[in-house]
Every structure is written in C-alpha cells, then in structure tokens.
Amino acid sequence: MLLHSSVILLLWTPLYLGVNGASADSRDDIIKPKAKQEPIAAEENHESYRKACPDYQNYAQFPHRPLSDGPLALPYQRPSPHCRTFSSPLVEKVIEDVTSRMEDKDLARVFENAFPNTLDTTVRWHVDGSEKRSIFKHASKYGHWDGPQSFIVTGDINAEWLRDSTNQLAQYQGLAKKDKKIEKLILGAINTQAEYVIESPYCNAFQPPPPSHVHTVSNGQDDTVHPAYEPTIVFECKYELDSLAHFLALGNQFHNKTGSNAFLTPRWYLALDTVLEVLEEQAKPTFKESTGQYEKNEYTFRRQTNAGTETLNLKGVGNPLNGNTGLIRSAFRPSDDATILGFFIPANAMMAVELQRTGEIVKSAGKAELAKKLLDRAASIRNGIWEHGVIPHKHYGEVFAYEVDGYGSRILMDDANLPSLLALPLLGFVDVSDKVYQNTRKMILEKSGNPYYLTGKSFQGIGGPHIGLQYAWPMSRLVQSMTSKDDKEIIDALHAVRDSCKLGLVHESINVGRVTDYTRSWFAWANSVFAQAILDVARRKPHLLFGKDAKPYVIGEQ
C-alpha cells in the first residue's frame, strides 16, 4: 500500500508544542525529556488520556519540540507517555545510554525517535496470557487463540505484515531476557503470527485478531485469489515466501536471545507444518516433469489494476518455472510487487537460513524427525541458490541474481526491501567477505549495475518499482552501512539518512532530487532498521558514534 506525502516544511500554524503540551518559541524554552519518562497515568485515568491522544499518522507529519542541539534542529516525535501503546523502562534506559554518548546530536535525535517507535505507536493489541476471561479466547478454524497475543501494525495502515512486524520487533529481542513485559510482547507476536499462518499461509498482511475487537479495514482492492481467504482475518493475500521465513525468524531470534522454548506450542508446531506444506507445493514446476503437461499452481492471484507490478500474469499464475532446482516459488517480492521470475533469490536465501535455525531448535527439543525435514529442505534450497542463482557477469564476475526461473533466465537488480541481495550477510546466508557477495554488492550499489540504484542532488540509494524511478529508500542506505567495514562508507550512509529525516523519523522513500518529498511519515519498519543500524555501529565501530577510544555498546549487556 502506498501512502504518499509531498511535504514542504513550513511553520506550522499552531506553535510547536513542548512535551507537556506547552507552546514554545525557541528550543531553549523547553526542558528536554530525560530517560525516565513521565509515569503512565493510573488505570482509572488512562483511558480518558488515550481518548485525547492525537492520531499519530497526523502527529508525525508535523515537527514537535524540543528540537535537537545539532545544526539540523530535528524535532522530538515521540507521543506523550499517556499515548504510547507499550512502555518499558529498559527501552528508556537504552535510549539514554546510547544518545547521551552520541556526539552527533541530530543522529541521536533520530535514534531517540526511531528506536521506540514500534512500542510507542504500533502495538495495537496485546494480552500477556494471564487473563482468564473468555474474551481472550476466540475459536479459529483449527482451534483457539490462547496465551500471550500481540497485534503489531506496520504504522499508518491498521494491519500487520508478517515481515514488517518481525523486523519492527528485532531491536527489542536483546532485551527480552531482562524485561518480562518485552518477553511477553514478543512471545505474543509469535503466537499471533502462528495463528495467521495456520489460517492463511499464502497471505502477507492480516486484520486485527478477532478477540482484540479492534476494527478491521479494507484494502480497497478487487482481488481474485486461490486459496480463498476470510477477509475479516486477512488484509491482503499476496504470497511472499519471505513472509513465512519471517515467521520462523521471529521465533528463532527469540530463542537465540532468551534461550527459551516457550513458543514451541502445539499451535506453533501446526503453523510450522503448514509452512512445510506450502514449501512442498511451491517447489513444484509449472509443467509436470513426467508428462510435460501444465499443472496449475495451488496459489493464483489476480487484481483489477492498471499496474503490472500489482498482479500476476498468465491468469494469476506468473511466468513458468523449471523443476529440479531445489528453489521455492515466491509470487511477490517483499515490496509487495509481483516477481517477474518466481524463484526470488533473497527470500530463498532467508528461508534456507531460517529453516536450518528452526531445525536446530526443534532437534534440541527432541523432534529429530521434524528437524531432519527442516534441515534437508534448507540444504536443498541452499544448493539450488548456488547452482541456479549465481551467474557470470562480464564486468563484475560471479554475482547473485535477483530472480531466476530455472531455465537460464535471470533478473539482475536489487530492491531496497528486505530481504534483498544487499542484506544477504545480515540474513546469515553468506559472510560479508564472500567473493560472490562482494561482486554482487559492487554491482547493485552502482547505477551501471542496478537499474534501481537511484541518484539525485539530494539523496541516493536503492529504490524499486513499488514507488517509482525517483524515490530511493533510506532503508537501503542503512543496510549498506550494516554490510560495510569501511568507516567512511558507514558514516556517509548514516548521515545521508539523518539528513533526510527533516521530521525526525525515517520515511519509506525519498525523492532523490528533493528530500522534503517523501512517502509515509509514519513507517515503523524503516525506523526499526535505523535503530538496528545505530546499534550495529555502536557494537562494531563505536568510535564512529561515541568518539575516539569509545567502548562497544551491546544492547542487553549493559
């Protein structure tokens, strides 16, 4: 879904507001908020406060005081403590620990706004599992919603993307072992995603859970999809392989940071079985190998649209794919754009990694047979990528293709959305020093090698067809920083994103010719990636943020 705002920063008619609602004429008139925020109101008053809270989608479109001490004077965009959707003293401590040490106060302000953005604004519904009332149980097609549950919206759309929500929560995983509330929030997110996968494994975005009683919304599209889905559960049903990989990643990250197997419930195992069924179905070729006859895919998608990227050709099936590749079809990319060639390499790479990690977890939990299935599938996909997804380039040498079909056709490009070719080391598929990756990285970060590497007088980075040929995504520069060992490249990327955050938050995309022309003032996924990039630099190269001889900062270890 594309929400576009072209903003010229003019003085807002109402005076900027301070954190307590007081007007201010200069940044010096405001006492800046400290790490320990104003306590949340007592329960009896909290609801009345919340009713007075502004719509954050509108709130995020205007700057608010106090302004940062840096030359950019960036606004403070966190909602009032009374209006935040989730709170954690440990999160506030991380903000204070990091920003107090950062030399660049404008960069610090963006982190201050971005790191808590998911908790501040997108936890639309959460129960910790202690409630015994029947309101927190709702019969689904296969059973019951039970235990902790968390509905995490993407930001300005009241729906949850499996991919977005996993990435939105990633920077808090390191705190889950020390903060029981965060542990329950993430455990709830795993449980909720499991219910979505069980219900509609081919879908990418979902409505609020029925027991939440949060109102549902329509995506306004005219879609014909098989398998059919229930629109009160599903917001959009584009089959994206990485969505299922992100479901696995959410649990794998939780286990890695906490050592807990609490998410290994019967419902989660049913969701895992459902994922494996989808992989088996989507590994099939377009034509039967024994007879050469066309075999219709289990998943088809047709949308009434004039945008070719929003639907699948050939009556909703997409272009033919060959057999015996080991690869898994993905009908759509993580940008929600249709694939051209259905073997989408970044999603296959992510799935291979997450299947292996999941296999190791369930093996340690005594599920040896299931673990073997997972590990075998992971190895098959990985081998398929190296056999069919690596191609010779006359200028760059061997590189990873973006998409292939198993017949020899390939798409050479990269898109900013994750997973991407640029992010392969972050996914855990290759080491950053891998020769094929380095060749690929050079290719996709040059205009001559990547048609969606966009440059302009104000910004440059990787974009994609989802927004258009003038809009690069700040997320791509953040991934560039996290996959680089070069100090200058890292700091240049962070500064480019910082300078595009005129409203103190990271946008979906930026017009490379004019940074005040952007899409989405409130996009929690991008803000989470910014926070992850800052934490990555604080761990690997602390001197770039904190000054000479600075010690590394590792979240959860302070």
Side-chain angles (χ1 to χ4, degrees):
M1 298 291 289
L2 170 61
L3 299 180
H4 187 278
S5 299
S6 182
V7 175
I8 303 295
L9 293 179
L10 303 174
L11 286 177
W12 189 23
T13 302
L15 290 174
Y16 292 122
L17 295 180
V19 292
N20 294 317
S23 62
D25 294 320
S26 73
R27 76 175 90 171
D28 296 330
D29 295 331
I30 298 296
I31 298 175
K32 297 182 179 178
K34 298 183 183 297
K36 292 185 178 180
Q37 298 287 341
E38 180 183 351
I40 301 297
E43 186 65 32
E44 60 269 21
N45 294 325
H46 188 58
E47 188 58 32
S48 62
Y49 275 115
R50 290 193 62 81
K51 288 179 179 177
C53 292
D55 180 345
Y56 192 76
Q57 183 174 349
N58 295 327
Y59 187 87
Q61 295 179 35
F62 299 97
H64 304 277
R65 289 182 183 266
L67 306 180
S68 63
D69 285 335
L72 297 180
L74 297 179
Y76 178 80
Q77 299 296 76
R78 297 187 68 184
S80 161
H82 302 300
C83 300
R84 296 171 191 169
T85 57
F86 191 90
S87 63
S88 163
L90 197 52
V91 167
E92 303 302 329
K93 182 179 185 302
V94 171
I95 295 170
E96 174 65 15
D97 288 348
V98 174
T99 58
S100 64
R101 297 173 61 187
M102 292 178 73
E103 295 185 324
D104 185 326
K105 296 308 177 184
D106 292 320
L107 202 62
R109 171 49 54 84
V110 182
F111 180 82
E112 182 181 13
N113 291 332
F115 176 72
N117 189 250
T118 287
L119 301 184
D120 282 354
T121 65
T122 71
V123 184
R124 198 55 55 87
W125 178 67
H126 169 64
V127 291
D128 64 11
S130 64
E131 299 84 356
K132 300 299 182 183
R133 293 172 292 170
S134 61
I135 188 173
F136 296 117
K137 282 192 174 184
H138 184 90
S140 73
K141 186 176 179 181
Y142 298 97
H144 296 278
W145 298 79
D146 203 1
Q149 301 287 337
S150 304
F151 177 61
I152 314 295
V153 300
T154 185
D156 50 19
I157 305 171
N158 193 47
E160 175 175 330
W161 271 252
L162 298 181
R163 169 184 54 258
D164 292 33
S165 56
T166 292
N167 285 293
Q168 286 169 241
L169 293 169
Q171 68 268 24
Y172 311 124
Q173 293 271 14
L175 301 177
K177 195 169 185 177
K178 291 186 175 181
D179 189 324
K180 198 69 176 177
K181 285 180 61 180
I182 289 180
E183 179 186 7
K184 289 290 188 180
L185 178 73
I186 297 173
L187 187 57
I190 298 170
N191 292 340
T192 298
Q193 285 199 10
E195 295 295 339
Y196 288 147
V197 170
I198 293 167
E199 178 72 25
S200 294
Y202 283 101
C203 300
N204 60 320
F206 294 86
Q207 302 280 13
S212 71
H213 302 296
V214 176
H215 73 278
T216 61
V217 293
S218 169
N219 68 14
Q221 303 294 339
D222 182 7
D223 298 340
T224 302
V225 182
H226 185 274
Y229 61 87
E230 171 53 55
T232 61
I233 300 293
V234 172
F235 177 80
E236 184 175 62
C237 198
K238 290 179 173 178
Y239 162 56
E240 300 162 358
L241 178 61
D242 77 279
S243 292
L244 298 177
H246 275 97
F247 161 65
L248 299 180
L250 185 60
N252 292 340
Q253 292 169 11
F254 179 77
H255 175 83
N256 180 51
K257 294 299 184 181
T258 65
S260 172
N261 285 344
F263 66 98
L264 299 181
T265 65
R267 302 296 288 168
W268 182 87
Y269 278 115
L270 180 55
L272 179 59
D273 288 342
T274 305
V275 170
L276 290 174
E277 290 173 6
V278 171
L279 299 185
E280 182 68 26
E281 185 65 38
Q282 296 306 312
K284 295 178 181 178
T286 305
F287 303 100
K288 285 187 178 180
E289 297 170 61
S290 58
T291 65
Q293 296 297 307
Y294 167 68
E295 185 175 22
K296 189 174 182 179
N297 197 283
E298 174 68 15
Y299 175 83
T300 61
F301 181 98
R302 285 181 289 176
R303 170 171 289 178
Q304 294 297 318
T305 178
N306 60 6
T309 56
E310 286 294 313
T311 192
L312 296 178
N313 61 349
L314 296 174
K315 298 182 179 180
V317 175
N319 292 314
L321 299 174
N322 208 352
N324 291 317
T325 65
L327 299 172
I328 309 297
R329 174 197 185 218
S330 185
F332 289 87
R333 301 169 177 172
S335 60
D336 298 335
D337 297 318
T339 54
I340 299 172
L341 305 177
F343 292 142
F344 174 53
I345 296 302
N348 273 270
M350 183 178 185
M351 181 58 78
V353 170
E354 299 305 338
L355 285 171
Q356 182 170 341
R357 291 171 175 169
T358 303
E360 292 165 355
I361 291 171
V362 301
K363 184 178 181 179
S364 69
K367 303 278 188 179
E369 185 176 346
L370 176 58
K372 185 178 185 306
K373 288 176 63 176
L374 294 165
L375 296 174
D376 286 350
R377 178 65 75 180
S380 176
I381 296 172
R382 184 178 289 272
N383 291 338
I385 292 171
W386 287 105
E387 181 178 353
H388 300 281
V390 177
I391 61 100
H393 191 288
K394 65 180 181 180
H395 180 65
Y396 298 101
E398 285 195 324
V399 297
F400 289 106
Y402 191 64
E403 294 171 358
V404 299
D405 63 1
Y407 290 105
S409 300
R410 74 289 301 267
I411 302 293
L412 296 182
M413 59 166 280
D414 202 19
D415 188 290
N417 284 264
L418 304 176
S420 63
L421 294 178
L422 185 60
L424 287 177
L426 303 183
L427 302 178
F429 185 74
V430 292
D431 186 81
V432 72
S433 62
D434 179 87
K435 179 62 174 175
V436 177
Y437 172 72
Q438 282 298 320
N439 292 345
T440 307
R441 191 177 191 275
K442 183 177 180 181
M443 177 183 74
I444 60 183
L445 290 177
E446 292 181 351
K447 184 64 178 175
S448 60
N450 180 8
Y452 290 102
Y453 188 80
L454 309 176
T455 61
K457 64 180 182 180
S458 298
F459 193 75
Q460 64 184 34
I462 300 173
H466 193 65
I467 304 299
L469 299 176
Q470 293 179 288
Y471 293 84
W473 293 50
M475 198 148 52
S476 72
R477 299 302 303 271
L478 299 171
V479 174
Q480 183 180 355
S481 78
M482 289 188 281
T483 56
S484 176
K485 297 179 181 179
D486 182 77
D487 286 7
K488 184 177 186 305
E489 183 180 15
I490 292 169
I491 207 66
D492 284 351
L494 293 180
H495 284 174
V497 175
R498 175 202 64 189
D499 294 349
S500 75
C501 297
K502 302 301 185 184
L503 289 172
L505 292 167
V506 185
H507 301 301
E508 178 188 53
S509 71
I510 299 291
N511 187 322
V512 295
R514 182 161 59 97
V515 294
T516 52
D517 180 13
Y518 63 85
T519 60
R520 303 181 76 169
S521 59
W522 175 31
F523 187 38
W525 179 15
N527 286 287
S528 289
V529 176
F530 179 89
Q532 293 154 26
I534 292 296
L535 293 171
D536 172 71
V537 176
R539 176 182 58 84
R540 291 193 300 129
K541 292 179 174 287
H543 61 281
L544 296 180
L545 298 177
F546 306 139
K548 186 179 179 181
D549 298 326
K551 294 181 179 179
Y553 178 89
V554 181
I555 189 170
E557 296 184 7
Q558 307 303 313

